[in-house]
Amino acid sequence: MIADFLRRLAQPEADRLPEPDARLALAALLVRIARADGSYDAGEIARIDRVLARRFALTAEAAGTLRTEAEAVEAEAPDTVRFTRAIKEGVPYEERITVIEALWEVVLADGERDEEEDALLRMVAPLLGIEDRDSGLARQRAAARRA
């Protein structure tokens, strides 16, 4: 299943991903950003579950299941570009800004801005086609939500 999903992500000029795949791509990207600093703690896991539940109107249990599947996909995926390309091609700009905001929520979940997480997010934002200004505003909204 994971291999099939990754193969679909790798297809050049792939059609828009079906909803379950798009959800999984976003969830895997959230997991990847959380793991970027070498620490993947309960606070980050809980934040990912809340983001997924809110974004996709899932129960806590369904969000946890999606995250668990995403953890396996993220561990197998060779690069971040596959996730970002799938999201960029399948999600309108305004919704991609909310993706960046969700990523910032995860980065800020442990109360620290780690260099590795910051660097990954600075790489991901342009890959998603998000302008610096919009990414900065998304970070501010995520920080305010955390406060």
Side-chain angles (χ1 to χ4, degrees), residues 5-6 9-10 17 21-22 24-30 32-33 77 79-92 96 99-100 103 119-130:
F5 174 73
L6 293 173
L9 286 181
L17 287 176
D21 285 353
L24 187 55
L26 173 58
L29 188 56
L30 291 168
R32 178 147 294 177
I33 202 89
D79 61 47
T80 304
V81 174
R82 294 172 196 240
F83 301 131
T84 56
R85 189 185 79 189
I87 294 167
K88 184 178 179 184
E89 291 175 359
V91 176
R96 291 194 313 264
V99 168
I100 291 294
L103 291 168
L120 182 57
L121 199 49
R122 282 193 307 270
M123 179 187 82
V124 165
L127 289 173
L128 290 174
I130 302 299

